[in-house]
Amino acid sequence: MRLRRQTQGATDQAEMPFLDHLDELRTRLIRALIALLVGLVIGLVAVTQWDVLGIVERPIAELLPGENLNFSSPTTPFVIILKLGFIVGLLAAFPYLAWQAWGFLSPALYESERKFAIPAIASGTILFIAGISMAYFLVLPLGLRILLNFFSEQLNPVIMISEYLNFAVKLILAFGIIFELPVVLVFLSLLGIVTPEGLAKYRRHAIVVMAVVSAFLTPADPYTMLAMMLPMMFLYEISVIMTRVLRRRREERAAEGASGEGSST
């Protein structure tokens, strides 16, 4: 009987009226916006008090010995402060934003599946940090070295801070996002949208999509493309394994619940 009550409770929550869903979504979005504003304040304080710009410049500073990055507009330094403040604020607010997203989507899950909330958010945060760390310490420095070596004897680089910041932030955040792949696929599996068999069956199609995404999010040189595509392939395989394990556990719990009901009746 316990299993039936849990299932009925999940069904009731999953079948909320449409207006209630909209009200819940509005509340979550307002909280997320407030978190972003607080994060922006924290980010602006961090940028003005600590050498955040120096941290961002470090991957390219070694390739431009004795030179600084350039800017061509008087407003560029102020715009850079705002951009860096927003980025730092977004990173600081990321766990809370993930929690709000989970709070909106979790009613579609059963009670036993909602227990994955804290592990999922913790795993997502760790994977995001791992992705941006890999991009910052490995991919970005080596990618810059490869790109700046083209025609290095005929051309002298004059790197603008705005262009470099856009390039570096895009690459770093892209790696942080793609490292969320296991969390996304596992959550879709809990919702019943994807299955382990489907993920395995369409593996080749997924690899093609990964190649296209890598080419779009990177400068499309072979090194950075492979540096993004190979982790995506590895994380995809990890996701297939995790979805199989989770489904097996759900089936075991369902069998135990069915046997418990049979013995009680």
Side-chain angles (χ1 to χ4, degrees), residues 32 36 44 66 77 85 115 165 205 208:
L36 283 175
L44 291 175
K115 297 178 181 178
L165 184 62
H205 300 77
V208 174

Side-chain angles (χ1 to χ4, degrees), residues 75-244:
T75 61
T76 297
F78 178 72
V79 174
I80 294 300
I81 291 176
L82 293 180
K83 286 184 178 181
L84 290 177
F86 177 78
I87 294 168
V88 174
L90 178 63
L91 295 177
F94 177 78
Y96 183 79
L97 297 178
W99 179 262
Q100 291 302 314
W102 177 269
F104 177 72
L105 297 173
S106 61
L109 304 177
Y110 294 113
E111 183 67 27
S112 59
E113 294 169 340
R114 293 180 205 149
K115 297 178 181 178
F116 290 101
I118 295 178
I121 294 174
S123 300
T125 303
I126 294 173
L127 287 171
F128 186 78
I129 294 174
I132 63 176
S133 299
M134 178 180 176
Y136 179 80
F137 291 107
L138 296 177
V139 180
L140 184 58
L142 291 178
L144 288 170
R145 190 176 300 276
I146 292 173
L147 293 172
L148 292 179
N149 275 336
F150 290 116
F151 299 105
S152 58
E153 297 180 357
Q154 292 87 3
L155 301 175
N156 293 321
V158 179
I159 310 298
M160 309 303 288
I161 179 61
S162 297
E163 296 178 356
Y164 168 73
L165 184 62
N166 292 336
F167 171 81
V169 169
K170 176 184 175 182
L171 187 65
I172 291 173
L173 290 182
F175 269 82
I177 293 172
I178 66 169
F179 268 60
E180 298 296 305
L181 183 62
V183 177
V184 173
L185 291 180
V186 167
F187 185 76
L188 293 177
S189 174
L190 292 176
L191 292 177
I193 298 176
V194 300
T195 63
E197 293 79 11
L199 294 175
K201 178 180 179 181
Y202 294 102
R203 179 180 285 108
R204 295 182 179 178
H205 300 77
I207 292 175
V208 174
V209 173
M210 293 175 196
V212 174
V213 171
S214 300
F216 178 75
L217 296 178
T218 65
D221 63 278
Y223 167 73
T224 51
M225 280 190 62
L226 287 176
M228 177 174 285
M229 185 175 175
L230 292 178
M232 290 178 70
M233 294 172 63
F234 174 76
L235 293 171
Y236 188 87
E237 296 301 327
I238 293 296
S239 303
V240 174
I241 296 173
M242 293 178 63
T243 54
R244 285 175 177 168

